[in-house]
Amino acid sequence: MDEALEKKFMLYFANAVASVYTKMLDFQPKMEGIKKEEKTWVKETGVITLVPFNGKFSGRLLLVFDPLSALILHNEINGESTKTVNDETLFTHGEFGNICAGHAITEINNAFRGSNVRLAPPSVFSGKELTFFNFKMNHYSIVMAVMGGKLTLNVALKES
Amino acid sequence: MFSDLAESFKDTLSSFGLETFLTDTFEVPFHSIECDVIILLGIVGSLKGVLTFEYDDNATHSIIRTMMPGAENEPLGEMSLSALSEIGNICGGMFLSRCKREGTDITPPTIVTGKNIKAMINNNKTYRFYLSLASGTIVVSLSFS
């Protein structure tokens, strides 16, 4: 899979995340450029949603919210004023990730007819310096400025 | 289906010369994690779910010592994690093959490591079994949406 195609693929995820975030929180994230990661792993702190996918293109999406922006997402969506990450925070982030990934995959399957990319359910992690490895795949990142901090989108993918 | 998964995992480790013993099986209300090294695979298609393999330090050490002699004395690196990942990948494929569920596939594995990880893998009923390997413990969990 050539790099230009992979970056195009990445943009579908980025645009979906920005669109869903804007609709849900009435705040337009500001995106930086796409960066190709050199390592096969990423190390992150905060609330991280992982959505695997498979089809003609396979891999996984990571949505990494820093701790403050993670709580803001929870509170804005649920109308609460939670100060610490709890199970409902994780559930909210899982749903958010699922919606974003669903939007992206719809666009990808429309753009690449026959690719039949399908999502697995999201998993959500919270902690410090959590490391995510995916071997034999290329990784790309985009950082977005969101309410209260930043959201890092990381996609690992390969053509099946 | 649950027994297919247990047999697939035991057969996968056995093919690498590792003998495991099933110690406990449970149905739990949701899919969480217990260990610091997790291999996660998604299930897509007519069945949609998540499969996780968790290894404690002793189990990790035993597997690495068998698959990559000498590497068990080094910090957990990419080659070691790749070996653990491949076990999950082989087991997942074997499990789906045994289930004979058309239109179902597994996603590439993701390895997650860290200390004191809080996680919500799935908030649906989860099948979980524990295996002993040497002096270590492996936890395998399967949940569907």
Side-chain angles (χ1 to χ4, degrees):
Chain A
M1 199 168 171
D2 68 46
E3 189 169 319
L5 183 59
E6 288 177 339
K7 285 184 172 177
K8 188 175 175 185
F9 198 90
M10 178 69 180
L11 275 176
Y12 283 111
F13 282 104
N15 290 335
V17 171
S19 171
V20 172
Y21 193 93
T22 303
K23 282 183 191 152
M24 285 193 163
L25 279 79
D26 196 23
F27 182 97
Q28 172 89 41
K30 187 176 174 189
M31 276 197 255
E32 297 177 7
I34 297 175
K35 178 186 165 192
K36 184 173 181 180
E37 302 288 347
E38 296 306 316
K39 301 182 183 121
T40 57
W41 50 268
V42 290
K43 184 178 278 195
E44 302 287 357
T45 293
V47 175
I48 302 125
T49 302
L50 164 71
V51 188
F53 54 87
N54 201 22
K56 186 176 189 302
F57 311 104
S58 57
R60 60 99 184 109
L61 163 69
L62 283 184
L63 291 175
V64 185
F65 281 87
D66 66 54
L68 178 58
S69 56
L71 286 172
I72 288 173
L73 182 94
H74 172 173
N75 291 333
E76 289 292 315
I77 289 176
N78 297 307
E80 295 177 3
S81 53
T82 302
K83 290 184 167 53
T84 53
V85 172
N86 56 32
D87 285 351
E88 199 181 337
T89 312
L90 301 185
F91 180 77
T92 301
H93 277 263
E95 290 302 299
F96 178 81
N98 203 30
I99 293 168
C100 292
H103 274 61
I105 293 303
T106 299
E107 295 298 317
I108 287 165
N109 284 332
N110 285 338
F112 302 93
R113 292 283 174 181
S115 54
N116 194 28
V117 181
R118 297 171 292 180
L119 299 176
S123 298
V124 188
F125 301 84
S126 171
K128 291 182 183 175
E129 298 194 338
L130 304 185
T131 309
F132 296 80
F133 294 83
N134 290 89
F135 297 101
K136 300 177 190 170
M137 290 190 202
N138 290 325
H139 296 224
Y140 293 87
S141 293
I142 286 180
V143 177
M144 301 185 188
V146 295
M147 286 175 76
K150 70 171 185 175
L151 160 63
T152 303
L153 181 70
N154 180 280
V155 176
L157 75 160
K158 63 178 181 180
E159 192 166 3
S160 299
Chain B
M1 183 185 286
F2 191 51
S3 60
D4 285 335
L5 178 59
E7 289 306 311
S8 297
F9 189 72
K10 291 181 71 178
D11 288 347
T12 300
L13 285 188
S14 182
S15 70
F16 290 105
L18 292 156
E19 294 307 315
T20 55
F21 301 94
L22 191 66
T23 55
D24 274 310
T25 60
F26 295 102
E27 269 186 32
V28 292
F30 52 85
H31 193 154
S32 59
I33 56 163
E34 300 176 20
C35 300
D36 294 341
V37 178
I38 306 128
I39 316 299
L40 186 150
L41 290 89
I43 300 172
V44 301
S46 59
L47 273 179
K48 200 168 164 176
V50 184
L51 177 58
T52 56
F53 305 89
E54 301 171 58
Y55 304 89
D56 70 6
D57 288 345
N58 287 336
T60 301
H61 194 86
S62 294
I63 292 171
I64 300 306
R65 185 175 58 230
T66 301
M67 293 179 74
M68 302 167 61
E72 74 275 15
N73 298 318
E74 297 165 9
L76 206 57
E78 284 193 39
M79 292 302 293
S80 300
L81 289 171
S82 179
L84 293 174
S85 169
E86 197 51 30
I87 289 173
N89 204 26
I90 293 168
C91 173
M94 193 184 292
F95 163 60
L96 286 188
S97 177
R98 283 184 171 164
C99 285
K100 294 190 174 78
R101 284 278 189 146
E102 298 239 355
T104 307
D105 205 349
I106 53 168
T107 67
T110 296
I111 304 171
V112 186
T113 65
K115 295 291 182 190
N116 303 313
I117 304 174
K118 186 179 172 67
M120 180 179 288
I121 306 299
N122 200 344
N123 60 350
N124 292 331
K125 184 174 70 174
T126 300
Y127 301 100
R128 171 166 294 173
F129 57 88
Y130 294 78
L131 301 108
S132 68
L133 170 65
S135 55
T137 300
I138 301 170
V139 186
V140 182
S141 305
L142 172 65
S143 60
F144 294 107
S145 288

